[in-house]
Amino acid sequence: MLQEYFREIITTAIVIVLYIPTKKIAAYIIRSFSSKEDRKDSRVNLVIRLFNTLILFLYLVLILTIWGVKPENFMLTITSVFTVIGVAMFAQWSLLSNITAGILLFFSFPFRIGDTIRIQDKDFPIEAEIIDIKAFCTILLTVDKEKISYPNSLLLQKGIVIIDKNKDQDSPSI
């Protein structure tokens, strides 16, 4: 019985052995990128966790393929799962957009923790210092010492002015 699945067992073992170095290499690449850009460790760890989840998913797909799950059956299952998740998450689209925006802010990073910014919002303009950038929101501290949790997706949608602390002048951000 074991001889019948020897090839699949060996291939699965190789894939499992490669999984850990793949995670470590991805973490190394993300950490080296973040050290060049002087990123905060909590944000780096968040991005590493997200990439680890993606890597795990890809390796699970690879193992299922090794064990002979037919692509059409696999795609049907994946499509069904994503359909259910999509319907369930439709009401939570802002949650997903904030996570995506958090990842975009990590890699494009138009501003940093410690920068003072002005959010160009007609109804509710805010000028505050960035004290933390999380997965879903950015924490701002106003001059009146009010902490504001501002959704990351709105930071990408609104005009942001980064205020230069040294010259006390406004400079538009990208």
Side-chain angles (χ1 to χ4, degrees):
M1 177 82 176
L2 195 59
Q3 295 291 359
E4 192 175 323
Y5 297 107
F6 184 74
R7 189 174 137 240
E8 288 86 357
I9 292 170
I10 295 298
T11 310
T12 301
I14 291 170
V15 167
I16 290 171
V17 167
L18 290 175
Y19 172 69
I20 292 173
T22 303
K23 282 177 48 173
K24 291 187 185 257
I25 290 169
Y28 174 77
I29 291 169
I30 293 168
R31 285 189 198 286
S32 65
F33 174 78
S34 67
S35 67
K36 289 177 186 174
E37 299 295 323
D38 196 29
R39 303 280 162 64
K40 189 174 179 184
D41 283 339
S42 62
R43 294 189 62 217
V44 172
N45 291 334
L46 171 71
V47 171
I48 289 172
R49 280 194 306 265
L50 291 172
F51 271 88
N52 284 344
T53 303
L54 177 65
I55 291 168
L56 176 64
F57 177 76
L58 292 174
Y59 271 80
L60 287 175
V61 168
L62 186 59
I63 289 172
L64 288 173
T65 305
I66 289 168
W67 283 93
V69 175
K70 294 181 182 175
E72 52 274 358
N73 293 343
F74 183 71
M75 292 310 287
L76 178 65
T77 304
I78 292 294
T79 313
S80 300
V81 167
F82 278 124
T83 301
V84 169
I85 290 173
V87 168
M89 294 299 283
F90 181 72
Q92 300 298 328
W93 69 270
S94 63
L95 178 70
L96 293 174
S97 67
N98 283 322
I99 291 172
T100 305
I103 293 171
L104 288 173
L105 288 174
F106 178 80
F107 285 109
S108 68
F109 217 95
F111 38 77
R112 301 181 183 278
I113 293 173
D115 285 352
T116 301
I117 62 170
R118 182 180 312 120
I119 300 170
Q120 303 292 343
D121 188 344
K122 181 175 77 170
D123 298 326
F124 189 61
I126 298 172
E127 186 171 316
E129 178 184 350
I130 299 173
I131 57 174
D132 199 3
I133 302 173
K134 299 183 179 287
F136 303 106
C137 63
T138 298
I139 309 297
L140 305 170
L141 183 66
T142 66
V143 262
D144 299 329
K145 303 298 179 201
E146 294 176 321
K147 279 189 180 178
I148 299 172
S149 173
Y150 204 82
N152 286 336
S153 61
L154 289 180
L155 282 175
L156 291 179
Q157 295 172 13
K158 304 286 180 182
I160 304 291
V161 175
I162 300 175
I163 300 171
D164 190 343
K165 294 179 187 178
N166 298 330
K167 297 179 185 174
D168 236 5
Q169 293 179 333
D170 297 341
S171 62
S173 72
I174 300 173

